[in-house]
Amino acid sequence: MTDADAPTQAVLDLAAAYGIATDYWDWRGRHVPVDAETVVAVLRALGVDASDDERAAAALAAAAEEPWRRVLPATVVLREGWTPWVFVHVPHGTSVDVWLELEDATTRDVLQVDHVVDPRSIDGTLVGEAAFELPADLPLGWHTLHAALSGGATATATVVVTPRRLTLPAAMTRARVWGLMAQLYQVRSARSWGIGDLSDLAELGSWACGHGASFVLVNPLHAAEPAGPMEPSPYLPTTRRFSNPVYLRIEEVPEYAYLSSCERARVDAAAAAARTLNAYDTVDRDAVWSAKRAALEVLHRAATTAGRHAAFERYVASQGDGLRTYATWCAIADEFGALVSAWPTPLRDVHSPVVAAYASSHEDVVDFHMWCQWAFDEAMGRTQQALREAGMSLGIVNDLAVGVHAQGADAWGLADVLADGVTVGAPPDQFNQRGQNWHQPPWHPRRLADAGYAPFRDMVRAVLRDSGGIRVDHIIGLFRLWWVPEGMDASCGAYVRYDHEALIGILVLEAQRAGAVVVGEDLGVVEPTARDVLRERGILGTSILWFEWTSDGRPLPPEDYRSLCLTTVTTHDLPPTAGYLDLAHVALRDELGLLTRPVEQERAVEQRAVDEVRAALRERGLLTGDASTAETVVALHRYLAQSPSVMLGVSVSDLAGDRRIVNQPGTDEEYPNWRIPLSGPDGALLGLEELQRSDVAGPVIAAVAATEAV
């Protein structure tokens, strides 16, 4: 970088005020400065003009005055037992009363404490600052701070009291637990409509529970587009608060029982046709959803009981405005497509009266999309109940994606708390040497706080409902996110910091209330202090065998793995273990042009890593010199079973002996990401019934089920 490319001091100071890192350390340990163009673009996305030094200086002064322009801060997040001071700003000489309204509707006094500071002139008005100390014995939960000024004005702020540390579910305090990791769409049974569904999940989990499994971790089940083409990636949803009804088993929706014989015949014929999709070598979500939507529309119109109708009304009321906003987006997307930029201009603004009028004139369609969410919510509840009744201590562990589609339901409905002009990604790393752009709009840190973190809370609550745990994809994003300005390469981004005390605290609070475990995917470029915070708050980390090495380049001994951790051999962004051992990832990345060094060099580096791991297995007597790939997969799981990790995860792909890559990060249509169904060692499609009879599955399960954490 030349001096001309470097940010000026004025821009550096402004970036610091807004939590923008102007340098970072990459995956190779190299110091990388961020150029001026990127910093200015990121500031612009935050609504700050730093186009020259004069404007940057003015913006910095405005940022310093911002707390003085409001009576109360928007949100105060604290841990139980803490007694933070809240600073109240009022016209100089004005008295103010402050009190708390607790979640249970009772009130608490908040006492003023001595605090002497000179008043400031803000827009020609002299403003004073008073300090009030929150009580140490506030209960956990969401409360409201009130301020009443002597002149009659009032103000409120959200106060969130979070646990000091998340309490692990009781089963995890007694012994290590293990479970399956499934990309649910892959796991098709004979009764599937071309895609693995919630009924398949119940069957898979019950079978695994019979072998001692305590959980099934599934891919994000967030909602996709309501009309094709449906985004195949479960990690690029249209919303993270609501779910994808493509995973419903139509025949098990209660309204199926109320169909007339003619209607039922239509649905059954659709089911028979859809089941032919099970023979396809890729998962055709559009064909599946076309069949299921038509069937769901029949069920939605079915005459049901007054009790069923009342239950639906209660669900709608419990979800508030968020559900109706999402369903309205779906109705508009049905007519104009899922890209908001293609809509008529008046409909692009969620607050437009034209949108309200559209929802009123399309009430039946809006109602249908709300009803689909209710049907899914009920089905998830039944699935979790079935797994718990089968004996699973945790049951479903849901996955929370890192973000949403840039033109989806959340980007439209939550535009007020999202940043514009940037998307989220990751800087270059070992497996994505050109960096990644996930094309997802990030939370705007200050606007999210201004909203009392309610959108974040509602999302977390939704994912935790009817589950025993939550995996947070890229949990480091609650500390900082890699923002990529529009039009720039993924490597030309900058880290933007978030109030992790607030975001992690809210996550812990909601998980504690749900009795759930939280697993943070903390892979990649991670600040050491972030892992310290996660451990302190009782959040599990993630360890993948292929990423765990000592400082001298040897496989990390299993005894040195973290205890507060979900440990696995592989993950969905790597090949199944059998494929990894054959270097399938190198071959694919070479084919797709994703390597930044010669393929021979890349292959040699990766083969050396595999050989080092094999050697470690042989040193422990877990592997013989002439072991097959299947025997090596079993040995790798035995290796991890010697770790102290409180959770072990086994990929369903490894139980099947599958070799095919599910997802190649950094690609879109170059590879059929997220559309690869389960197959066996020979590459032939493998259904759920065949998986349960597989000769491969038993030894792998035995490897993790027989050994407790050391």
Side-chain angles (χ1 to χ4, degrees):
M1 178 186 294
T2 66
D3 290 342
D5 295 328
T8 64
Q9 190 59 50
V11 172
L12 289 172
D13 292 343
L14 185 59
Y18 278 87
I20 302 170
T22 53
D23 62 356
Y24 69 97
W25 296 88
D26 73 4
W27 65 284
R28 291 176 174 168
R30 298 180 304 187
H31 180 252
V32 181
V34 180
D35 64 36
E37 182 183 6
T38 298
V39 176
V40 170
V42 171
L43 282 164
R44 187 184 308 119
L46 287 167
V48 182
D49 187 355
S51 54
D52 58 44
D53 279 2
E54 183 178 355
R55 289 183 173 87
L60 184 62
E65 290 181 349
E66 182 180 353
W68 291 74
R69 296 179 182 276
R70 57 194 317 159
V71 175
L72 294 172
T75 308
V76 180
V77 181
L78 62 144
R79 302 187 201 183
E80 56 184 334
W82 283 7
T83 58
W85 287 9
V86 176
F87 297 105
V88 181
H89 298 95
V90 297
H92 187 53
T94 301
S95 61
V96 59
D97 291 325
V98 177
W99 70 96
L100 268 166
E101 181 183 0
L102 302 185
E103 198 171 41
D104 63 3
T106 62
T107 60
R108 293 285 300 275
D109 292 333
V110 180
L111 301 180
Q112 187 170 354
V113 292
D114 290 339
H115 176 66
V116 180
V117 63
D118 292 336
R120 293 189 186 183
S121 178
I122 305 294
D123 300 330
T125 299
L126 205 58
V127 176
E129 181 178 84
F132 291 78
E133 184 176 87
L134 296 183
D137 58 348
L138 292 177
L140 297 177
W142 296 77
H143 314 304
T144 303
L145 187 67
H146 294 265
L149 282 61
S150 57
T154 61
T156 61
T158 300
V159 174
V160 190
V161 183
T162 69
R164 289 183 177 270
R165 181 179 175 86
L166 177 62
T167 302
L168 290 177
M172 296 183 63
T173 64
R174 295 190 293 267
R176 195 233 311 278
V177 298
W178 73 272
L180 302 185
M181 303 183 300
Q183 297 289 307
L184 182 56
Y185 53 87
Q186 284 194 298
V187 187
R188 305 187 295 199
S189 68
R191 296 189 63 213
S192 301
W193 289 37
I195 193 170
D197 58 35
L198 293 180
S199 295
D200 295 322
L201 174 58
E203 174 61 26
L204 174 68
S206 296
W207 168 73
C209 182
H211 295 280
S214 295
F215 64 89
V216 181
L217 168 60
V218 294
N219 58 277
L221 303 180
H222 310 314
E225 294 77 5
M230 182 178 287
E231 167 59 49
S233 173
Y235 291 91
L236 187 58
T238 190
T239 173
R240 291 184 288 176
R241 179 175 172 183
F242 299 103
S243 305
N244 195 341
V246 78
Y247 291 111
L248 285 169
R249 176 69 61 80
I250 300 299
E251 300 92 326
E252 296 187 11
V253 176
E255 275 64 24
Y256 178 79
Y258 297 100
L259 296 179
S260 66
S261 58
C262 180
E263 290 170 331
R264 183 171 298 184
R266 288 173 54 196
V267 171
D268 291 348
R275 289 189 183 110
T276 65
L277 298 171
N278 290 333
Y280 284 28
D281 196 45
T282 56
V283 175
D284 188 343
R285 285 176 174 80
D286 293 335
V288 172
W289 178 234
S290 178
K292 287 196 175 184
R293 173 160 181 166
L296 287 168
E297 287 173 342
V298 173
L299 268 61
H300 175 242
R301 293 191 297 267
T304 60
T305 65
R308 290 290 294 166
H309 180 73
F312 172 54
E313 292 296 320
R314 287 194 297 272
Y315 170 78
V316 170
S318 72
Q319 296 304 302
D321 293 339
L323 175 62
R324 186 168 185 83
T325 298
Y326 164 70
T328 299
W329 179 88
C330 288
I332 300 173
D334 280 343
E335 181 174 354
F336 297 106
L339 297 180
V340 175
S341 61
W343 293 2
T345 301
L347 293 176
R348 298 178 195 174
D349 180 4
V350 67
H351 303 298
S352 167
V354 177
V355 170
Y358 187 96
S360 295
S361 63
H362 294 76
E363 188 62 39
D364 286 348
V365 183
V366 172
D367 189 80
F368 167 72
H369 288 293
M370 293 194 296
W371 178 87
C372 285
Q373 290 304 306
W374 176 54
F376 186 95
D377 191 70
E378 284 197 322
M380 275 291 284
R382 291 193 299 269
T383 304
Q384 175 68 350
Q385 181 179 359
L387 295 183
R388 295 300 298 270
E389 289 178 352
M392 276 193 165
S393 58
L394 297 178
I396 301 169
V397 176
N398 276 316
D399 204 345
L400 174 64
V402 67
V404 295
H405 196 289
Q407 294 200 49
D410 278 358
W412 179 73
L414 299 177
D416 292 346
V417 292
L418 297 174
D420 192 25
V422 290
T423 52
V424 171
D429 61 25
Q430 178 183 0
F431 289 89
N432 303 278
Q433 296 170 13
R434 300 181 186 275
Q436 298 178 66
N437 187 338
W438 303 327
H439 302 288
Q440 299 169 332
W443 295 116
H444 189 299
R446 298 195 176 198
R447 292 179 191 164
L448 188 59
D450 287 343
Y453 292 98
F456 179 78
R457 174 201 62 200
D458 294 343
M459 175 192 72
V460 170
R461 281 182 180 175
V463 179
L464 281 167
R465 191 165 56 244
D466 296 318
S467 69
I470 180 176
R471 173 192 178 271
V472 182
D473 190 42
H474 195 63
I475 197 169
I476 303 307
L478 302 185
F479 295 80
R480 64 177 188 178
L481 274 175
W482 183 254
W483 285 24
V484 181
E486 286 182 355
M488 293 189 180
D489 188 78
S491 62
C492 299
Y495 281 113
V496 176
R497 296 192 177 279
Y498 288 81
D499 184 349
H500 68 264
E501 180 64 42
L503 295 175
I504 295 294
I506 292 168
L507 175 62
V508 167
L509 170 63
E510 296 302 325
Q512 181 103 324
R513 290 182 153 187
V517 63
V518 177
V519 177
E521 189 265 293
D522 56 351
L523 305 175
V525 180
V526 180
E527 295 174 298
T529 55
R531 286 197 174 120
D532 293 339
V533 171
L534 296 176
R535 183 172 57 252
E536 177 190 5
R537 302 305 296 271
I539 295 176
L540 276 64
T542 300
S543 286
I544 310 298
L545 180 142
W546 302 111
F547 298 163
E548 296 290 343
W549 299 87
T550 63
S551 58
D552 61 354
R554 290 179 54 78
L556 186 71
E559 294 82 6
D560 294 338
Y561 277 53
R562 292 176 287 171
S563 60
L564 198 66
C565 197
L566 168 64
T567 294
T568 69
V569 175
T570 190
T571 181
H572 56 260
D573 286 333
L574 296 176
T577 304
Y580 196 97
L581 293 168
D582 290 341
L583 305 187
H585 52 300
V586 177
L588 180 60
R589 285 154 58 199
D590 177 49
E591 177 185 335
L592 299 177
L594 299 177
L595 299 177
T596 58
R597 54 189 176 187
V599 63
E600 295 80 12
Q601 181 181 355
E602 189 75 20
R603 188 178 295 114
V605 169
E606 292 298 296
Q607 186 62 59
R608 186 160 52 248
V610 170
D611 291 344
E612 287 280 355
V613 170
R614 286 182 185 271
L617 297 177
R618 287 194 293 269
E619 288 175 6
R620 291 175 175 261
L622 300 174
L623 196 67
T624 60
D626 58 350
S628 66
T629 295
E631 290 170 332
T632 304
V633 172
V634 173
L636 289 168
H637 286 87
R638 285 181 179 150
Y639 184 81
L640 290 191
Q642 296 178 6
S643 78
S645 301
V646 297
M647 292 184 78
L648 290 183
V650 180
S651 170
V652 170
S653 294
D654 284 352
L655 294 185
D658 204 346
R659 296 170 181 265
R660 298 197 295 175
I661 295 171
V662 170
N663 172 54
Q664 175 53 55
T667 64
D668 185 17
E669 292 301 319
E670 304 95 319
Y671 182 77
N673 293 323
W674 314 111
R675 285 166 282 192
I676 304 296
L678 201 63
S679 63
D682 58 358
L685 295 180
L686 191 75
L688 177 55
E689 295 85 357
E690 289 77 25
L691 174 68
Q692 293 171 331
R693 298 190 296 267
S694 168
D695 293 335
V696 178
V700 175
I701 289 175
V704 296
T707 309
E708 294 187 357
V710 298

